[in-house]
């Protein structure tokens, strides 16, 4: 899931679908389509609007897809009571197809804003960083890791309100680092311990936050190369020095730069231990 509503409906399948009934919901417009589910603008009999996420019908018998979809819905149901997490209204099954109801808001995802160099980023980039940190802090405090934290899973309204979305890859936060049977996520945002298939904990999210924050503040990723292989090599290489953010953003405070670089430590033991400490340091960075 990358966004729930946008003034720019670029999906070729978007359009009016007034005759598309799904149980008690009328599906009006296809907002986005991902590998596992579609997201529709939907209304109920009272005319209330929702973003309805619907598992692809060809995955009805796919156990892994169903398990991820249901797990993501259940995790969201436990953490959604936060200003920076998408609101949850329920989930279930209609005609054998799983669905989830969320708040509908006009928005773009952070990837779209970065790709089009949206002026909103120039005005609000440091506020976006803090809201991202708040969302992740809340998720960790609620006992879960996101494990797919990236710009595509952060949506932002035109007035700068931020929501964290897509919890299909999320897992309960372990008491100590734990090896997973399968490592989910997007390689460019994965911590080195995930790429090496080693034991992980919530600090993998802190690394992904660092990659995303670096990208928001500098408009480029911290690890770049001519191929994906070269990018991942630099991501894993402890001897490869990151380019300081202030080389691209001389106006950026030293303390903010230091926070992001600490989040990007390859060794998880050198990273921040908790997002609450990141938030504390970002707060003090306001006085830089």
């Amino acid at each position: 899931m990358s966004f729930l509503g946008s003034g720019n409906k670029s999906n070729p399948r978007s359009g009016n679908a007034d005759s598309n009934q799904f149980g008690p919901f009328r599906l009006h417009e296809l907002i986005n389509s991902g590998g596992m589910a579609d997201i529709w603008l939907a209304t109920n009999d009272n005319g209330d609007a929702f973003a309805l996420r619907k598992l692809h019908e060809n995955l009805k018998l796919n156990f892994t897809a169903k398990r991820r979809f249901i797990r993501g819905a259940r995790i969201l149901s436990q953490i959604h009571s936060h200003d920076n997490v998408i609101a949850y209204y329920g989930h279930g099954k209609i005609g054998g197809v799983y669905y989830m109801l969320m708040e509908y808001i006009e928005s773009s995802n952070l990837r779209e804003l970065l790709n089009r160099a949206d002026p909103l980023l120039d005005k609000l980039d440091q506020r976006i960083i803090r809201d991202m940190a708040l969302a992740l802090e809340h998720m960790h405090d609620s006992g879960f890791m996101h494990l797919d934290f990236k710009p595509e899973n952060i949506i932002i309204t035109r007035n700068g309100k931020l929501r964290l979305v897509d919890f299909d890859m999320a897992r309960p936060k372990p008491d100590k680092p734990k090896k997973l049977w399968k490592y989910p996520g997007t390689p460019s945002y994965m911590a080195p311990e995930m790429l090496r298939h080693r034991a992980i904990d919530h600090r993998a999210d802190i690394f992904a936050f660092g990659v995303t924050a670096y990208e928001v503040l500098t408009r480029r990723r911290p690890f770049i190369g001519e191929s994906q292989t070269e990018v991942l090599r630099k991501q894993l290489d402890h001897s490869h020095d990151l380019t300081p953010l202030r080389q691209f953003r001389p106006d950026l405070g030293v303390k903010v730069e230091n926070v992001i670089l600490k989040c990007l430590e390859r060794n998880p033991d050198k990273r921040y231990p908790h997002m609450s400490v990141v938030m504390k340091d970002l707060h003090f960075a306001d006085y830089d």
Side-chain angles (χ1 to χ4, degrees), residues 247-264:
Q247 181 169 318
F248 308 114
R249 282 284 304 274
D251 63 308
L252 195 66
V254 175
K255 291 179 182 176
V256 173
E257 178 182 68
N258 289 341
V259 170
I260 305 309
L261 292 177
K262 188 173 176 66
C263 290
L264 287 168

Side-chain angles (χ1 to χ4, degrees), residues 5-181:
S6 172
N8 294 319
K9 300 297 192 301
S10 59
N11 192 304
R13 294 173 61 194
S14 294
N16 198 336
D18 284 341
S19 62
N20 197 344
Q21 195 75 25
F22 180 64
F25 305 104
R26 188 172 294 277
L27 307 182
H28 297 281
E29 183 174 13
L30 181 61
I31 301 168
N32 192 34
S33 184
M36 205 166 78
D38 291 331
I39 301 177
W40 291 83
L41 168 59
T43 55
N44 59 15
D45 292 339
N46 296 326
D48 301 316
F50 304 94
L52 187 149
R53 188 168 189 244
K54 182 183 175 193
L55 186 70
H56 292 318
E57 297 207 17
N58 63 346
L59 295 177
K60 286 188 346 183
L61 302 179
N62 185 311
F63 175 77
T64 299
K66 289 193 296 183
R67 182 181 60 189
R68 284 182 177 176
F69 189 96
I70 295 167
R71 181 180 62 217
R74 287 175 175 167
I75 288 175
L76 179 57
S77 74
Q78 297 179 63
I79 68 169
H80 75 103
S81 56
H82 189 276
D83 288 343
N84 299 122
V85 176
I86 197 72
Y88 160 93
Y89 295 118
H91 71 279
K93 186 166 62 171
I94 295 174
V97 177
Y98 287 96
Y99 75 95
M100 177 170 62
L101 281 184
M102 301 169 289
E103 68 175 319
Y104 174 79
I105 51 178
E106 291 287 335
S107 62
S108 298
N109 71 45
L110 184 53
R111 170 63 60 216
E112 293 171 319
L113 297 183
L114 288 164
N115 285 347
R116 65 176 182 247
D118 196 292
L120 189 68
L121 293 175
D122 295 327
K123 298 177 184 176
L124 299 175
D125 57 4
Q126 293 198 50
R127 172 177 154 186
I128 288 169
I129 298 303
R130 284 162 176 76
D131 285 350
M132 289 186 339
L134 282 169
L136 208 46
E137 178 189 34
H138 171 71
M139 186 164 189
H140 291 173
D141 287 350
S142 300
F144 299 99
M145 308 178 288
H146 190 280
L147 297 186
D148 199 19
F149 192 90
K150 59 183 180 180
E152 288 82 352
N153 289 334
I154 297 159
I155 62 172
I156 300 174
T157 67
R158 292 310 304 169
N159 62 357
K161 292 184 178 179
L162 180 147
R163 302 285 194 280
L164 180 62
V165 300
D166 199 339
F167 303 93
D168 290 342
M169 304 300 180
R171 299 283 194 284
K173 188 175 72 167
D175 293 331
K176 61 182 181 179
K178 179 182 179 182
K179 286 197 74 170
L180 301 182
W181 175 71

Side-chain angles (χ1 to χ4, degrees), residues 185-215:
T186 303
S188 296
Y189 296 86
M190 290 171 74
E193 62 270 25
M194 291 185 75
L195 292 171
R196 291 190 171 104
H197 289 194
R198 293 177 179 171
I200 66 165
D201 59 16
H202 61 282
R203 291 172 296 177
D205 279 345
I206 296 176
F207 184 89
F209 166 82
V211 177
T212 305
Y214 190 108
E215 194 171 359

